[in-house]
Amino acid sequence: MGPDGRPGWPPNGGWDTHHPDGTQTPASNDGFHPTRDGEDPGQRPDDAEARIYDPPYDPPPARTEIKFEDEPDFDNWPEGAPGVRVEPSNEPFVRWNRPDDSEFSSPAPDDPANPETNPLRNGETFSSRDNPPESELRPKTKYTTPRATFYTNSEGRIEWVEAHPGRQGDPNPELNNPAPNAKYRVADNWTFQTNSKGETSAMTGTPHYKNNPNDPVSQSTHYYRDENAQDRVGQRGYDAYRGTEWEHVNWDGGHMAAHESGGPGEEINQFPQIRGSNQGHYEDGYTYKASWRALEAYLSRTAKTPGCSVDQIQVKLHPDNSTVPETATYRWTETRNGVTKTYEMVFPNDPAKVNFGRPRR
């Protein structure tokens, strides 16, 4: 025990007994060996949190320019430029590749999954009718419901879905219960890929930023949130780290395509994301400058700047079949004064690998 009555350093096992009359007396001292194998325990920490988020801090995620070998001006690009990575072609993270309508049949009247003869029950989603290993769906068939159209592959599994976006207070349930291993096309400008668990692993889309004077589409696009969906998706993060040294970390259902970019509000557009990154807070090892939110704000400002546009945004999670991804890659294409460039940033989403700064109190 130290002379100030606080625990000593190195730890020596001492503590005080506090009596009902307000007095206190030493209960023990030197109860434990102060060091382990004679090692120097170092300086007394300010608190337990300081031992988690210690300097030297990591720099914010780097912005890397992506150059493509199939670009018309690639031969004029100087090799070895810093902060640049070369890829063979500008292949989107998710490509919408649904075959032509002529390759699909309409469901027969006696098809048990036909939503016209067997309407969806209250609370039922059509994707639940594709329930491995016994799917009710017929191969190469187009099933149309009020809020989405489903296309099956040659094995009778849902592989392509064209869905209507929800509205505030009225989310599309099909987008909150996605089919596994399927591509979803939402509002003609967002494409999502789900993994074997029915959780979204990648997204490619064209944003329309809210109140953007340079984009007339932004005045008519629906902007909505589904907070219940965000709570459900964020809970996956809490569940994954419960009982670990990182259970204090806060999680959100973070949007792949930001709310202000016109991204869908449902689970199809969400993943479990560390709150400090999603909201730009100084917590859980994140700072605003290092956060996902800071990039979203930058893109929104860019889209509204005269002579500028944000032409495409994409997100890819890694590992792609993990309920809580370790990293999230954000790629975007922007145009400034007639010059178009593609950039990428990678954000850590594993609490053990986030150390951008101390939390603010």
Side-chain angles (χ1 to χ4, degrees):
M1 185 66 62
D4 58 359
R6 298 177 62 194
W9 185 262
N12 56 22
W15 67 88
D16 282 353
T17 298
H18 295 259
H19 301 279
D21 61 1
T23 62
Q24 60 187 59
T25 58
S28 174
N29 207 36
D30 297 325
F32 300 97
H33 196 281
T35 61
R36 182 176 181 178
D37 299 328
E39 296 177 356
D40 183 355
Q43 298 297 313
R44 178 203 296 264
D46 293 333
D47 52 35
E49 191 172 51
R51 294 196 292 272
I52 297 177
Y53 303 114
D54 270 341
Y57 298 121
D58 297 328
R63 185 174 77 165
T64 301
E65 183 180 356
I66 310 298
K67 298 291 291 184
F68 304 102
E69 294 178 357
D70 58 357
E71 289 180 339
D73 63 343
F74 181 78
D75 291 340
N76 299 324
W77 172 71
E79 293 187 19
V84 178
R85 190 175 75 249
V86 175
E87 294 188 0
S89 62
N90 190 3
E91 181 66 21
F93 286 177
V94 188
R95 180 179 292 280
W96 181 246
N97 60 352
R98 178 179 70 78
D100 187 76
D101 278 354
S102 61
E103 297 191 25
F104 298 93
S105 301
S106 298
D110 62 348
D111 183 342
N114 188 339
E116 294 185 4
T117 57
N118 183 16
L120 296 174
R121 298 180 295 275
N122 185 34
E124 181 189 10
T125 58
F126 185 80
S127 60
S128 65
R129 296 186 176 183
D130 181 8
N131 187 21
E134 298 297 332
S135 175
E136 300 178 10
L137 309 184
R138 305 290 173 83
K140 303 295 286 186
T141 301
K142 174 183 176 180
Y143 294 93
T144 302
T145 72
R147 306 192 74 166
T149 301
F150 298 80
Y151 300 82
T152 60
N153 59 22
S154 59
E155 298 177 352
R157 302 297 184 195
I158 295 172
E159 188 165 341
W160 305 275
V161 182
E162 295 171 345
H164 303 294
R167 295 175 180 269
Q168 191 66 43
D170 183 27
N172 185 341
E174 298 292 356
L175 299 180
N176 275 331
N177 185 38
N181 299 318
K183 287 184 172 69
Y184 277 71
R185 183 74 168 169
V186 183
D188 293 328
N189 62 313
W190 302 110
T191 306
F192 300 89
Q193 174 70 58
T194 63
N195 60 24
S196 63
K197 302 175 183 178
E199 299 162 354
T200 304
S201 59
M203 176 277 295
T204 294
T206 302
H208 296 289
Y209 286 90
K210 190 175 184 179
N211 299 324
N212 181 3
N214 305 320
D215 182 2
V217 177
S218 72
Q219 309 308 315
S220 59
T221 300
H222 299 299
Y223 298 89
Y224 64 102
R225 294 182 181 274
D226 185 346
E227 294 181 355
N228 290 330
Q230 289 185 265
D231 289 343
R232 290 192 299 270
V233 175
Q235 187 62 44
R236 298 178 199 162
Y238 288 108
D239 292 343
Y241 286 92
R242 183 176 291 114
T244 74
E245 64 176 310
W246 305 106
E247 64 181 355
H248 66 280
V249 172
N250 288 312
W251 295 86
D252 288 338
H255 292 110
M256 292 185 167
H259 166 74
E260 70 257 45
S261 73
E266 294 91 349
E267 289 188 34
I268 192 73
N269 185 37
Q270 298 176 26
F271 69 99
Q273 187 174 32
I274 295 175
R275 180 171 297 169
S277 182
N278 180 50
Q279 299 189 20
H281 293 168
Y282 287 76
E283 64 174 296
D284 299 326
Y286 261 100
T287 64
Y288 179 78
K289 187 176 181 179
S291 71
W292 184 276
R293 180 59 199 151
L295 174 57
E296 290 179 329
Y298 162 80
L299 293 175
S300 181
R301 292 193 305 270
T302 299
K304 298 173 185 178
T305 300
C308 300
S309 63
V310 177
D311 310 311
Q312 186 183 68
I313 58 177
Q314 305 188 83
V315 173
K316 182 186 294 183
L317 306 181
H318 178 80
D320 60 6
N321 207 40
S322 174
T323 294
V324 181
E326 296 177 8
T327 63
T329 298
Y330 200 121
R331 180 178 290 190
W332 73 96
T333 300
E334 64 177 69
T335 298
R336 288 181 175 272
N337 301 317
V339 178
T340 300
K341 294 186 177 183
T342 297
Y343 297 98
E344 182 177 287
M345 295 175 70
V346 180
F347 294 85
N349 201 51
D350 178 347
K353 298 178 181 178
V354 177
N355 192 35
F356 296 115
R358 286 286 307 276
R360 287 186 176 179
R361 298 300 184 192

